[in-house]
Amino acid sequence: MEASFTTNHVRLLLPGGAVDLVPDTGTATARPSDLGLGGRLFVINAGASPSMAATVQNAAASVEARTGALDRHGWEFQRALVFPASLAWVEVSVALTGLDELDLDLLTHGRGLPGVHVWDDDGLSFWPSSSLVAMRGPVPVSIRPVEPGCPMRLLNRDETCAPAGGPWVSASREWRMWWDAQRALLASAFGCTVCNGSPVGTGRTIALVEQYLPTRLGEWRPGPYRAQDSIR
């Protein structure tokens, strides 16, 4: 899992526009000062730990609690997203500068996070939260402006996505259920400039089980059956 911290992309949602930090095979690296950011930038997952089974609702509640706490304590932060090139998962995060060791411990203590991203003049690194895990990086990164398009498509991103699965047999219905869940997750996190997240195709699925989010550790997972009054 730790290796993923130096291969994933980091999207910074800055006042001047969103940009991606992308691991680059070149020898030079982009620096925080290239974006007018002073000093070292820390990117911290604001949702659930990758090792926890969390639903969309759990993760959203965690993000709201973390960002609310930062606001109440007067911490200045930017929103951020961390994700692999495949878009298989996404971590809603916060990006902060000017932290010291005590600040970092305060922001991550007791949350079960494996570590944080750190971007400085040397590149992007992974700083582990445990001395039992090795630091990784730094790796060089390039800065890329965020391009519009559909987050469900890696190619032909200016086209509307097409639903997978369908209403025919149980396997196809289950496939459509997970496709719908992934589309809702990515549209919520990244937005969609093609359809703005509006319905596509015909029909929709209703999940009868809890749906645990994909993380660095694995794909979507089914949980227990949902309470009857939560099924809509």
Side-chain angles (χ1 to χ4, degrees):
M1 175 180 68
E2 289 79 13
S4 66
F5 279 86
T6 52
T7 60
N8 56 217
H9 299 191
V10 176
R11 178 164 297 183
L12 303 176
L13 308 179
L14 303 174
V19 297
D20 287 342
L21 304 180
V22 181
D24 198 313
T25 56
T27 56
T29 183
R31 301 176 177 183
S33 58
D34 296 337
L35 295 177
L37 302 173
R40 183 174 279 158
L41 183 75
F42 295 84
V43 180
I44 305 171
N45 182 2
S49 167
S51 61
M52 296 178 61
T55 64
V56 170
Q57 293 77 15
N58 298 151
S62 178
V63 171
E64 183 176 356
R66 303 301 169 193
T67 54
L70 289 171
D71 282 332
R72 288 192 299 274
H73 287 87
W75 292 81
E76 292 187 7
F77 66 94
Q78 305 294 338
R79 302 271 181 163
L81 300 170
V82 178
F83 54 96
S86 66
L87 299 178
W89 48 264
V90 58
E91 293 174 353
V92 179
S93 304
V94 290
L96 306 95
T97 58
L99 301 185
D100 58 27
E101 188 173 338
L102 290 177
D103 295 330
L104 191 58
D105 183 65
L106 177 65
L107 292 172
T108 59
H109 180 71
R111 297 194 49 214
L113 297 179
V116 301
H117 284 93
V118 180
W119 182 36
D120 58 22
D121 287 353
D122 295 321
L124 185 68
S125 303
F126 166 66
W127 286 15
S129 56
S130 168
S131 60
L132 300 178
V133 179
M135 174 179 170
R136 290 181 179 264
V139 297
V141 292
S142 59
I143 298 172
R144 298 182 188 174
V146 173
E147 299 292 340
C150 170
M152 288 293 286
R153 287 185 174 275
L154 299 179
L155 300 173
N156 303 320
R157 297 185 65 247
D158 58 346
E159 299 178 10
T160 302
C161 56
W168 307 287
V169 296
S170 60
S172 63
R173 290 195 294 270
E174 182 177 358
W175 192 6
R176 175 63 183 272
M177 177 187 75
W178 293 118
W179 187 91
D180 284 343
Q182 181 73 1
R183 180 175 184 266
L185 172 66
L186 297 187
S188 174
F190 295 103
C192 178
T193 59
V194 178
C195 70
N196 294 316
S198 58
V200 296
T202 58
R204 71 182 184 93
T205 56
I206 298 176
L208 302 181
V209 296
E210 296 293 353
Q211 296 170 291
Y212 292 141
L213 288 167
T215 71
R216 298 172 184 273
L217 294 173
E219 301 176 343
W220 285 93
R221 291 181 292 148
Y225 281 99
R226 299 169 62 190
Q228 189 66 33
D229 58 2
S230 69
I231 298 174
R232 296 288 187 270

